Amino acid sequence: MTQPDQTLDFIASLSLPDTDALLRQAETVPASAISDTDSANIAGHSVVSFVSGLSPQNREDVLNSTLLMQLAASAAFDKTQQREAWFRFYTEGLGKLGWTVSNSSIEHYVPKHDAFTMDQVALDIIESAVGGAGFAPVLKKTFAALKKQPQALALFEHHSDHGWLGMFQILPCSQTAEGNVSMLLNCMQFVHNALRYKILFFTYRQHEVQVYRSAQLAVLNTGVYRQVREAVLDKLGGNASQFIARLAL
């Protein structure tokens, strides 16, 4: 396991994108108001869902740790040309922050139906993953809410669409009996044969798009992350608010 000093050095070494051109958040999230209910946020190109019972601190830690590595990976690698390197850097970085992530590879995926939307594909992948079926109810609520909240959807699409390539993550989370965070890390990338500016709710056909995915259960050791929490916050700076929008479920 990486020592705290090594992790602090790693965090300090990360480069992040220029914040001048960022799309700002839709709504500030008061952590104290979301502990006893299901909730969800957009964090850059991630949709993060929380099952009720997850503590406010754990929810904040999930958002900040995953956002930091998302931004750092995007600064280090071109997602349109280096998707495997991007994902490897992202998952290995999460591991240094206290997440257990077993797989750093992205594999080709064939959707079940000829015509599909990406939210349907994401739900299929998560329901079929080990430990994923229990997250289906909160994800369905999250997708339904996102359809009705155009500002949050615009934030998500702004960071997910790259012309010919789309990349996004669906990250449903719950809290373990030990107080740690259990997350289904589902990263999806797709290459389409025409310029698109819609991500989740656009209907594709199999011959129009190639889909890649990685789905695995990851656990955040809160005791490990506690030692680097302030360093993550300091590194994120204004990014923590500029990239995050709360969804009203």
Side-chain angles (χ1 to χ4, degrees):
M1 181 177 291
T2 306
Q3 296 300 311
D5 287 347
Q6 294 176 309
T7 303
L8 293 174
D9 289 342
F10 167 73
I11 293 169
S13 72
L14 295 174
S15 297
L16 301 184
D18 183 0
T19 60
D20 291 341
L22 298 183
L23 188 64
R24 291 186 175 273
Q25 68 173 32
E27 181 184 351
T28 300
V29 186
S32 60
I34 58 174
S35 59
D36 297 326
T37 60
D38 292 348
S39 66
N41 294 77
I42 299 302
H45 69 223
S46 297
V47 178
V48 189
S49 299
F50 300 109
V51 174
S52 62
L54 204 75
S55 73
Q57 185 64 70
N58 279 347
R59 298 182 193 216
E60 181 181 327
D61 291 346
V62 170
L63 288 170
N64 290 335
S65 60
T66 57
L67 178 60
L68 176 66
M69 288 315 307
Q70 179 191 144
L71 295 177
S74 296
F77 298 98
D78 181 351
K79 286 184 283 190
T80 64
Q81 303 292 330
Q82 302 168 293
R83 63 173 181 269
E84 292 182 358
W86 186 100
F87 189 65
R88 188 181 309 112
F89 186 89
Y90 173 76
T91 52
E92 290 177 356
L94 288 179
K96 293 176 182 178
L97 298 182
W99 288 94
T100 59
V101 183
S102 59
N103 186 1
S104 295
S105 64
I106 287 206
E107 301 173 346
H108 184 248
Y109 176 80
V110 179
K112 294 179 180 180
H113 306 287
D114 179 63
F116 54 87
T117 60
M118 289 299 168
D119 63 310
Q120 293 169 340
V121 172
L123 191 59
D124 287 342
I125 291 171
I126 287 172
E127 287 183 321
S128 65
V130 175
F135 291 119
V138 72
L139 282 175
K140 289 177 181 178
K141 286 200 296 185
T142 299
F143 289 144
L146 190 55
K147 287 181 180 180
K148 299 175 183 178
Q149 297 171 60
Q151 194 170 1
L153 182 58
L155 176 70
F156 172 75
E157 291 181 335
H158 174 80
H159 294 295
S160 302
D161 187 81
H162 305 279
W164 301 97
L165 178 137
M167 174 188 284
F168 64 91
Q169 296 184 96
I170 308 297
L171 308 176
C173 303
S174 62
Q175 188 162 298
T176 69
E178 297 76 21
N180 295 320
V181 178
S182 179
M183 176 175 75
L184 204 295
L185 195 168
N186 179 40
C187 181
M188 294 182 60
Q189 301 174 347
F190 57 98
V191 182
H192 32 76
N193 61 7
L195 290 174
R196 304 291 186 199
Y197 298 99
K198 301 295 181 183
I199 301 296
L200 287 177
F201 309 123
F202 180 85
T203 298
Y204 291 92
R205 294 190 177 277
Q206 285 199 24
H207 69 275
E208 297 174 336
V209 62
Q210 299 179 56
V211 180
Y212 301 85
R213 65 95 172 93
S214 178
Q216 59 186 300
L217 199 63
V219 176
L220 177 63
N221 185 317
T222 56
V224 172
Y225 185 76
R226 188 180 303 120
Q227 301 175 71
V228 299
R229 179 182 292 135
E230 291 304 317
V232 170
L233 285 170
D234 289 344
K235 189 69 177 183
L236 278 172
N239 289 305
S241 64
Q242 289 178 309
F243 273 87
I244 295 176
R246 181 181 177 184
L247 289 174
L249 297 189

